[in-house]
Structures are given as C-alpha cells and as structure tokens.
Amino acid sequence: MTTTRSTPRTATALTWNLLDRRPADIPIPAAETGHITPEWAHGGTDGSGVRVCIVDSGVEAGHPMVGEVAGSYAVTGRDGDLAVHEVPPTDTCGHGTACAGIVRQVAPGCELHSVRILGENGGGTGDALLAGLRWAIGQRFDVINLSLSTSRPQFNQILRELADDAYFGRSVIVASAHNARIESFPWRFSSVISVGSHAEDDSDLVLYNPSPPVEFFARGQAVRVAGLNGSTTRNTGNSFAAPHVTGLAALILGKHPDLTTFELKTILYLTAANVRGA
Amino acid sequence: MDQSADSTAMIAAVSGALADPGPDDRELLASVVRVARSIFGAAASSVFLFDRERDELVFEAVSGEGEEFLIGTRFPAHRGIAGWVVDTGEPVTVDDLADSTLFAQDLAERTHYVPDSIMAAPVVHRDEILGVIQVLDPHPQCRSSIADLDLLTAFAGQAGLALHGLVRSRAARRALALGGAEFERLAGIIQVLAALPEDRRAGGLRLVDSLHEVLTGMAR
C-alpha cells in the first residue's frame, strides 16, 4: 500500500493524548483503502460470537450497562504463588465494570468475561497483572481489554513475551496508554493495540495517531460509564478510551472471525476517521 | 542490622538532621494544593500520603474546604475515588457523584464536605505510588476534560518530589531516634560545624579529622 503524508512521520515528542489538536489536524491520506470501509469492516454486526476479557478489578454482572458476564475469575494468592480461580461476578472498585459497560455499548452481542487482578484489600501488583494476562491469553480470548499498566521495568521483558504470544495466538490485547507521560507497559509494545484519549465527545470517533507509540485515540473524556451497584457516573481518563476500541475490535472480529492481529490492526487503521476521511 | 545498613541509616540520619528538608517539603506540598485549587477554580485540593504499613491514606496537605482540621486524618486506602487511584495507578475524573457508589459518601461526610465532582491522580516517585492528589468540585469549565487531567498529573509530579522528601526526612528522623545518643551527638557536631563562620570552620574540621584519626586507631 502506498501512502503519502502532508506531515512528517517522525514525532518530536511522545503523544499520550490528543491534546490541543482536533481530528482535522492529523489527516492521514491513505492512497488506497480499497473496499476496506467501516461498513465492510463491521456493518450489520453486534460482536456476537466474539469472546472479550476485561483484565481489571472484576465486572459487576447484571448491571444495566453490562448485562451478562459469561465468566468471572480472579488472580489470588501472594507473591510468587498466584493462581486464577472462578469467583462471583463482582467488582472491587468499579474500574472494570466501567470498562465492561463501554465494551457492551459498542458491541452489545459480544461475550464478556472478567479476570480480576486488582485485589480486594490492596492495589494490583505487577505479578497479578502478569498472572491475569497470561491466563487470559491461555484461554484464547479474541480480545483482551487492559486499561491498566505497570511502570516497573522488571516486568518489561516478560510482558513483552506475553504480548507476542497473544499477537501470534490471535488474542488481541487492547491496552490503554498511561495518562501520565511516564514509561509503562504493555501499551508501549507494538504487538498490542494502544489507545489514548482524544478530546471529542464522540463515542464513535476512533483516530489513528501519526505519532506513535500510542496508535489510536478514542473517547476518554466525559464518558457515561457503569458504576458499582447499578449506578452510573461520567468519567474521564485513558482507561475509558481503550474499551471503545476493544468494542470496535469485537465488532470487526464478529464479521471477520479469521483475522490475524496484524490484519485487525490494519483494518482499524484504514477505517480510522482521520484516515478514511482524508 | 548489618554494618552497611547501619552506616546507611547513620548517613540518612545525619543528612536528615542537617538539612531537615521537612519544612520545605511541607511548604512545597501546601503550595502545590494551593495552586491546583486556584488553577482549577475548585472548592478544595488535597494530597494524601499512602501509608503502606497501615494501609491507609493520610491527609498531608489541604487547601480550601477542611484545611483547618483535615491534616493527619486517615482513611482506608482502598475506598472511594482516591482508593481507586491507589489501586489502578491511573488518574480519573468522576462527575455526577451523587449517582456514584464508587464515591465513599460516608468518608466524604467525615471531611464535612461532599463534592459533586472529583479529579484525582496518583502521586508517583520512581515507579512507586506515594499517594494521591485530588481536586474537589473544579470549576465546571475545568471538568471532564482530558487536558485538565493532564494538568493535574503535572501537579502530581511536583507533589511526588515533595512527598518523597517528606517521607525521607521522616525516615531519617526515625533512624535518628532509634540510633539513640550516638546519632544525635554526631548530628549535633555537624550542625555546629555548619553554623560556624567560614574562618573558624577550617579549624573545626581539623578537630574532626583528628578525632576521626583517633577513633580509627581505636577501631583497629
């Protein structure tokens, strides 16, 4: 595919969010998108048959914005002795339920699963993140939403290997970029689909970032999300941008189930509003 | 405690006693929350320290509502929006709190102020979450914007440096207290040396050198 650009590819700085710029400021004129249109990619599908896993704080089943949770698991244990067990579908702090509600809104027919890596009486650890992600990849979920990251460098290499396993095993990891401009993982890896937030109040708007490492922008600002005990709030943060792309990936895979991660990412690129709209 | 840990504690204690960065760090923290409150046109802004040993969040700096009585107040570390931030390490803005059960209403009532909107970001220093900075009821124009969350994260960076200094100086003072009279005497000598006028300091240092030589001889 040949592309021409009006802006240089090299970024002067890393871009975590799309701040101070509008979608029209980052046009990417792709010369040949061919038949790859949003209609071709996901028109008429609701994500049915696609298994999505939320790796987070758990998901509250039965929430009006979430609905059924097909499987609910948690990483339990301490230090090196961690295991994944089936648990009741509840959420410790609401973060996972908020993400699940967004995925459900975008892809209402998808099958939602949850693995909790944030403990009930303490923050998540890098070890729990690894264990939960490894388990989710082993279960061969089609899409794994990870609105969390770790900044501890000792987890870098093992997370990179896991992300590669997922990439080649056709489990797509959609990871939110850290809100702060710090180095964290695994969203920085090229094998995952990384998402930051644009500043538009449009839940359908997905943009490709011409200045990676963040590859896509989706809505993360003033998002109506599911809260605990059936409540709702309006939240802002990159955590809520990633589930929009997770839902979109589920839609695309619902229509084209045999895509590799590379093909899926390419379709997300070709159907991004600033690419096809150029 | 082995010898190297002992000497590390002594150095920390001596430098802590010498520099006593506590007051400056407290002032910096107070300044961060004051500026954050002002920039966001908020009812209040505060910084919590995450006390890992007791698994609690402690108010270290407050500007606005509650500033007269909240410093030192403790809350469970994993409840409410500050608890979410400690758990996930991610900043967040939550609006329409009246509808939210994530928001720990009972905890907010203990602060005598129940907000409708909270922005919160982790206070991080070298990959470690030291605490949380939050802004209560920012001006409606500053709510729900990812750019404002970015700005709060920048304040969190400053708060991280101040909180780190505060924690370090407290640890040094604890070590000083545990070390007993030896550390205190040593710190006292260094304080006197530091306070000497330039012309007498050289003489003071010569005395310390002589003492060091004698003590080294005794240790052989």
Side-chain angles (χ1 to χ4, degrees), chain A residues 8-35:
Chain A
R9 289 203 72 141
T10 49
T12 52
L14 299 176
T15 310
W16 267 245
N17 299 307
L18 188 61
L19 298 176
D20 308 321
R21 287 180 298 164
R22 305 298 303 273
D25 298 329
I26 52 166
I28 298 165
E32 294 169 32
T33 55
H35 65 283

Side-chain angles (χ1 to χ4, degrees), chain A residues 17 19 93-95 118 121-124 147-149 151-153 178-181 197 220-222 224 228-229 231-240, chain B residues 52 55 78 80 83-84 86-97 99-102 122 124 126-129 143-150 153:
Chain A
N17 299 307
L19 298 176
C93 73
H95 195 261
L118 299 178
N121 296 307
S147 287
L148 299 165
S149 62
S151 56
R152 297 189 183 267
H178 201 285
N179 287 267
R181 290 166 192 251
S197 178
Q221 180 171 293
R224 175 64 57 189
L228 292 178
N229 303 322
S231 65
T232 59
T233 55
R234 204 156 46 98
N235 292 9
T236 296
N238 280 353
S239 294
F240 315 107
Chain B
R52 287 176 191 274
D55 210 24
H78 307 289
W84 163 327
V86 165
D87 284 354
T88 63
E90 298 281 344
V92 66
T93 302
V94 183
D95 294 329
D96 304 341
L97 284 167
D99 300 331
S100 172
T101 44
L102 160 68
V124 178
R126 297 205 178 131
D127 302 331
E128 189 185 0
I129 294 180
R143 291 181 187 181
S144 310
S145 148
I146 202 84
D148 290 313
L149 206 54
D150 215 42
T153 304

